Short mmCIF file of all heavy atoms in Angstrom, two decimals:
data_model
loop_
_atom_site.label_atom_id
_atom_site.label_comp_id
_atom_site.label_asym_id
_atom_site.label_seq_id
_atom_site.Cartn_x
_atom_site.Cartn_y
_atom_site.Cartn_z
N GLU A 1102 43.00 2.22 -18.68
CA GLU A 1102 42.26 1.08 -19.21
C GLU A 1102 41.62 0.30 -18.06
O GLU A 1102 42.21 0.13 -17.00
CB GLU A 1102 43.18 0.16 -20.00
CG GLU A 1102 43.77 0.81 -21.24
CD GLU A 1102 42.71 1.16 -22.27
OE1 GLU A 1102 41.78 0.35 -22.45
OE2 GLU A 1102 42.81 2.25 -22.87
N ALA A 1103 40.41 -0.19 -18.29
CA ALA A 1103 39.70 -0.91 -17.24
C ALA A 1103 38.99 -2.13 -17.78
O ALA A 1103 38.40 -2.10 -18.86
CB ALA A 1103 38.69 0.01 -16.56
N LYS A 1104 39.08 -3.23 -17.03
CA LYS A 1104 38.31 -4.44 -17.28
C LYS A 1104 37.59 -4.76 -15.98
O LYS A 1104 38.22 -5.13 -14.99
CB LYS A 1104 39.22 -5.60 -17.69
CG LYS A 1104 39.95 -5.38 -19.01
CD LYS A 1104 40.85 -6.56 -19.33
CE LYS A 1104 41.61 -6.33 -20.63
NZ LYS A 1104 42.53 -7.47 -20.93
N LEU A 1105 36.28 -4.60 -15.98
CA LEU A 1105 35.52 -4.62 -14.74
C LEU A 1105 34.33 -5.56 -14.84
O LEU A 1105 33.60 -5.54 -15.83
CB LEU A 1105 35.02 -3.21 -14.41
CG LEU A 1105 36.10 -2.11 -14.40
CD1 LEU A 1105 35.46 -0.75 -14.45
CD2 LEU A 1105 36.99 -2.27 -13.18
N ASN A 1106 34.14 -6.35 -13.80
CA ASN A 1106 32.98 -7.23 -13.76
C ASN A 1106 32.63 -7.52 -12.31
O ASN A 1106 33.14 -8.45 -11.70
CB ASN A 1106 33.26 -8.54 -14.50
CG ASN A 1106 32.04 -9.45 -14.54
OD1 ASN A 1106 30.92 -9.02 -14.31
ND2 ASN A 1106 32.27 -10.73 -14.81
N THR A 1107 31.76 -6.67 -11.74
CA THR A 1107 31.34 -6.85 -10.36
C THR A 1107 29.93 -7.40 -10.25
O THR A 1107 29.49 -7.74 -9.15
CB THR A 1107 31.40 -5.51 -9.59
OG1 THR A 1107 30.40 -4.62 -10.12
CG2 THR A 1107 32.77 -4.88 -9.69
N GLY A 1108 29.21 -7.43 -11.36
CA GLY A 1108 27.82 -7.85 -11.32
C GLY A 1108 26.86 -6.71 -11.02
O GLY A 1108 25.64 -6.91 -11.02
N ILE A 1109 27.39 -5.53 -10.78
CA ILE A 1109 26.55 -4.34 -10.51
C ILE A 1109 26.94 -3.28 -11.55
O ILE A 1109 28.01 -2.67 -11.46
CB ILE A 1109 26.77 -3.79 -9.09
CG1 ILE A 1109 26.55 -4.89 -8.05
CG2 ILE A 1109 25.83 -2.62 -8.81
CD1 ILE A 1109 26.95 -4.49 -6.63
N GLY A 1110 26.08 -3.07 -12.53
CA GLY A 1110 26.42 -2.23 -13.67
C GLY A 1110 26.85 -0.82 -13.30
O GLY A 1110 27.86 -0.33 -13.81
N PHE A 1111 26.12 -0.16 -12.44
CA PHE A 1111 26.46 1.22 -12.09
C PHE A 1111 27.78 1.27 -11.34
O PHE A 1111 28.58 2.20 -11.53
CB PHE A 1111 25.36 1.88 -11.26
CG PHE A 1111 25.64 3.32 -10.95
CD1 PHE A 1111 25.48 4.30 -11.91
CD2 PHE A 1111 26.12 3.70 -9.70
CE1 PHE A 1111 25.78 5.63 -11.64
CE2 PHE A 1111 26.42 5.02 -9.42
CZ PHE A 1111 26.24 5.99 -10.39
N PHE A 1112 28.04 0.28 -10.50
CA PHE A 1112 29.31 0.23 -9.77
C PHE A 1112 30.47 0.08 -10.74
O PHE A 1112 31.51 0.75 -10.59
CB PHE A 1112 29.27 -0.91 -8.76
CG PHE A 1112 30.45 -0.97 -7.82
CD1 PHE A 1112 31.03 0.18 -7.30
CD2 PHE A 1112 30.97 -2.21 -7.44
CE1 PHE A 1112 32.11 0.11 -6.42
CE2 PHE A 1112 32.04 -2.28 -6.56
CZ PHE A 1112 32.61 -1.12 -6.06
N ASP A 1113 30.32 -0.77 -11.75
CA ASP A 1113 31.35 -0.88 -12.79
C ASP A 1113 31.59 0.47 -13.45
O ASP A 1113 32.74 0.84 -13.74
CB ASP A 1113 30.94 -1.91 -13.85
CG ASP A 1113 31.06 -3.35 -13.38
OD1 ASP A 1113 31.64 -3.58 -12.30
OD2 ASP A 1113 30.57 -4.24 -14.09
N HIS A 1114 30.53 1.19 -13.71
CA HIS A 1114 30.63 2.52 -14.33
C HIS A 1114 31.44 3.47 -13.44
O HIS A 1114 32.26 4.25 -13.94
CB HIS A 1114 29.22 3.06 -14.57
CG HIS A 1114 29.16 4.41 -15.21
ND1 HIS A 1114 29.92 4.78 -16.29
CD2 HIS A 1114 28.39 5.50 -14.92
CE1 HIS A 1114 29.64 6.02 -16.64
NE2 HIS A 1114 28.72 6.48 -15.82
N MET A 1115 31.24 3.40 -12.13
CA MET A 1115 31.98 4.27 -11.22
C MET A 1115 33.45 3.85 -11.12
O MET A 1115 34.34 4.70 -11.07
CB MET A 1115 31.34 4.24 -9.82
CG MET A 1115 29.94 4.84 -9.76
SD MET A 1115 29.87 6.60 -10.25
CE MET A 1115 29.36 6.46 -11.98
N LEU A 1116 33.72 2.56 -11.09
CA LEU A 1116 35.10 2.09 -11.06
C LEU A 1116 35.84 2.49 -12.32
O LEU A 1116 37.04 2.79 -12.30
CB LEU A 1116 35.13 0.56 -10.88
CG LEU A 1116 34.61 0.05 -9.54
CD1 LEU A 1116 34.45 -1.47 -9.59
CD2 LEU A 1116 35.54 0.45 -8.39
N ASP A 1117 35.12 2.51 -13.43
CA ASP A 1117 35.71 2.96 -14.70
C ASP A 1117 36.13 4.42 -14.61
O ASP A 1117 37.15 4.83 -15.18
CB ASP A 1117 34.71 2.75 -15.83
CG ASP A 1117 35.34 2.86 -17.21
OD1 ASP A 1117 36.56 2.66 -17.35
OD2 ASP A 1117 34.59 3.14 -18.18
N GLN A 1118 35.36 5.23 -13.87
CA GLN A 1118 35.73 6.64 -13.69
C GLN A 1118 37.05 6.76 -12.92
O GLN A 1118 37.89 7.61 -13.24
CB GLN A 1118 34.63 7.39 -12.92
CG GLN A 1118 33.25 7.34 -13.54
CD GLN A 1118 33.22 7.84 -14.97
OE1 GLN A 1118 33.93 8.78 -15.33
NE2 GLN A 1118 32.40 7.21 -15.79
N ILE A 1119 37.23 5.90 -11.91
CA ILE A 1119 38.48 5.93 -11.14
C ILE A 1119 39.65 5.62 -12.05
O ILE A 1119 40.68 6.31 -12.03
CB ILE A 1119 38.42 4.93 -9.98
CG1 ILE A 1119 37.34 5.34 -8.97
CG2 ILE A 1119 39.79 4.85 -9.28
CD1 ILE A 1119 37.12 4.31 -7.87
N ALA A 1120 39.50 4.57 -12.87
CA ALA A 1120 40.58 4.18 -13.77
C ALA A 1120 40.89 5.28 -14.77
O ALA A 1120 42.04 5.69 -14.96
CB ALA A 1120 40.22 2.89 -14.50
N ARG A 1121 39.85 5.79 -15.42
CA ARG A 1121 40.03 6.77 -16.50
C ARG A 1121 40.63 8.07 -15.99
O ARG A 1121 41.58 8.60 -16.56
CB ARG A 1121 38.68 7.05 -17.17
CG ARG A 1121 38.75 7.93 -18.40
CD ARG A 1121 39.49 7.24 -19.53
NE ARG A 1121 38.93 5.94 -19.84
CZ ARG A 1121 37.91 5.75 -20.68
NH1 ARG A 1121 37.36 6.77 -21.30
NH2 ARG A 1121 37.45 4.55 -20.92
N HIS A 1122 40.09 8.57 -14.89
CA HIS A 1122 40.55 9.86 -14.39
C HIS A 1122 41.78 9.75 -13.50
O HIS A 1122 42.50 10.73 -13.31
CB HIS A 1122 39.41 10.59 -13.68
CG HIS A 1122 38.31 10.98 -14.62
ND1 HIS A 1122 38.36 12.11 -15.39
CD2 HIS A 1122 37.15 10.35 -14.96
CE1 HIS A 1122 37.28 12.18 -16.16
NE2 HIS A 1122 36.53 11.12 -15.90
N GLY A 1123 42.04 8.55 -12.98
CA GLY A 1123 43.25 8.33 -12.20
C GLY A 1123 44.41 7.86 -13.05
O GLY A 1123 45.52 7.72 -12.53
N LEU A 1124 44.15 7.59 -14.35
CA LEU A 1124 45.16 7.01 -15.25
C LEU A 1124 45.77 5.75 -14.63
O LEU A 1124 46.97 5.53 -14.63
CB LEU A 1124 46.25 8.02 -15.60
CG LEU A 1124 45.82 9.14 -16.56
CD1 LEU A 1124 46.99 10.05 -16.90
CD2 LEU A 1124 45.21 8.57 -17.84
N ILE A 1125 44.87 4.93 -14.10
CA ILE A 1125 45.23 3.65 -13.50
C ILE A 1125 44.68 2.55 -14.40
O ILE A 1125 43.51 2.58 -14.76
CB ILE A 1125 44.61 3.49 -12.11
CG1 ILE A 1125 45.07 4.61 -11.17
CG2 ILE A 1125 44.92 2.13 -11.51
CD1 ILE A 1125 44.24 4.70 -9.90
N ASP A 1126 45.52 1.60 -14.78
CA ASP A 1126 45.00 0.40 -15.43
C ASP A 1126 44.44 -0.49 -14.34
O ASP A 1126 45.13 -0.83 -13.37
CB ASP A 1126 46.10 -0.32 -16.21
CG ASP A 1126 46.53 0.45 -17.46
OD1 ASP A 1126 45.80 1.38 -17.87
OD2 ASP A 1126 47.58 0.13 -18.02
N LEU A 1127 43.18 -0.87 -14.51
CA LEU A 1127 42.45 -1.52 -13.42
C LEU A 1127 41.68 -2.72 -13.93
O LEU A 1127 40.89 -2.62 -14.87
CB LEU A 1127 41.49 -0.50 -12.79
CG LEU A 1127 40.64 -0.92 -11.61
CD1 LEU A 1127 41.50 -1.36 -10.45
CD2 LEU A 1127 39.72 0.23 -11.19
N GLU A 1128 41.93 -3.87 -13.31
CA GLU A 1128 41.16 -5.08 -13.59
C GLU A 1128 40.51 -5.54 -12.30
O GLU A 1128 41.19 -5.70 -11.28
CB GLU A 1128 42.06 -6.20 -14.12
CG GLU A 1128 42.70 -5.92 -15.47
CD GLU A 1128 43.58 -7.08 -15.93
OE1 GLU A 1128 43.36 -8.22 -15.45
OE2 GLU A 1128 44.47 -6.84 -16.75
N ILE A 1129 39.19 -5.72 -12.35
CA ILE A 1129 38.47 -6.20 -11.17
C ILE A 1129 37.48 -7.28 -11.58
O ILE A 1129 36.62 -7.06 -12.43
CB ILE A 1129 37.72 -5.06 -10.45
CG1 ILE A 1129 38.69 -4.00 -9.93
CG2 ILE A 1129 36.89 -5.62 -9.30
CD1 ILE A 1129 38.02 -2.83 -9.24
N GLU A 1130 37.62 -8.46 -10.98
CA GLU A 1130 36.67 -9.55 -11.12
C GLU A 1130 36.09 -9.82 -9.75
O GLU A 1130 36.84 -10.09 -8.80
CB GLU A 1130 37.35 -10.80 -11.66
CG GLU A 1130 37.65 -10.78 -13.15
CD GLU A 1130 36.40 -11.00 -14.00
OE1 GLU A 1130 35.41 -11.56 -13.47
OE2 GLU A 1130 36.43 -10.62 -15.18
N ALA A 1131 34.78 -9.73 -9.64
CA ALA A 1131 34.15 -9.93 -8.33
C ALA A 1131 32.92 -10.82 -8.47
O ALA A 1131 32.07 -10.60 -9.34
CB ALA A 1131 33.77 -8.59 -7.72
N LYS A 1132 32.85 -11.81 -7.61
CA LYS A 1132 31.66 -12.64 -7.48
C LYS A 1132 31.20 -12.53 -6.04
O LYS A 1132 31.96 -12.86 -5.12
CB LYS A 1132 31.96 -14.09 -7.85
CG LYS A 1132 32.32 -14.30 -9.31
CD LYS A 1132 32.59 -15.76 -9.61
CE LYS A 1132 32.96 -15.96 -11.08
NZ LYS A 1132 33.25 -17.39 -11.39
N GLY A 1133 29.99 -12.06 -5.86
CA GLY A 1133 29.50 -11.86 -4.50
C GLY A 1133 28.07 -12.34 -4.34
O GLY A 1133 27.43 -12.77 -5.30
N ASP A 1134 27.58 -12.27 -3.11
CA ASP A 1134 26.24 -12.75 -2.78
C ASP A 1134 25.19 -11.69 -3.15
O ASP A 1134 24.48 -11.17 -2.28
CB ASP A 1134 26.16 -13.15 -1.31
CG ASP A 1134 26.69 -12.06 -0.36
OD1 ASP A 1134 27.05 -10.97 -0.85
OD2 ASP A 1134 26.73 -12.30 0.85
N LEU A 1135 25.09 -11.40 -4.44
CA LEU A 1135 24.16 -10.38 -4.91
C LEU A 1135 22.70 -10.79 -4.74
O LEU A 1135 21.81 -9.95 -4.86
CB LEU A 1135 24.45 -10.04 -6.38
CG LEU A 1135 25.83 -9.43 -6.66
CD1 LEU A 1135 25.98 -9.13 -8.15
CD2 LEU A 1135 26.05 -8.17 -5.84
N HIS A 1136 22.46 -12.07 -4.49
CA HIS A 1136 21.08 -12.51 -4.21
C HIS A 1136 20.61 -11.94 -2.88
O HIS A 1136 19.39 -11.87 -2.62
CB HIS A 1136 21.00 -14.03 -4.19
CG HIS A 1136 21.84 -14.68 -3.14
ND1 HIS A 1136 23.21 -14.77 -3.25
CD2 HIS A 1136 21.51 -15.26 -1.95
CE1 HIS A 1136 23.69 -15.40 -2.19
NE2 HIS A 1136 22.69 -15.69 -1.37
#
């Protein structure tokens, strides 16, 4: 299971792959200088 919010859609998609295929429950909240 994954709850992801990095502000970068494709990156969230990749982190979801780690969780799903690693069978890791993963929560990531990130706020960064995306500007």
Side-chain angles (χ1 to χ4, degrees):
E1102 296 296 320
K1104 296 179 182 178
L1105 307 164
N1106 184 17
T1107 67
I1109 306 171
F1111 184 76
F1112 187 38
D1113 286 350
H1114 181 45
M1115 294 300 97
L1116 294 169
D1117 194 23
Q1118 303 304 324
I1119 295 173
R1121 186 66 54 87
H1122 293 278
L1124 288 182
I1125 301 166
D1126 289 345
L1127 181 60
E1128 295 180 22
I1129 298 179
E1130 283 284 340
K1132 294 181 180 179
D1134 51 3
L1135 297 181
H1136 61 286

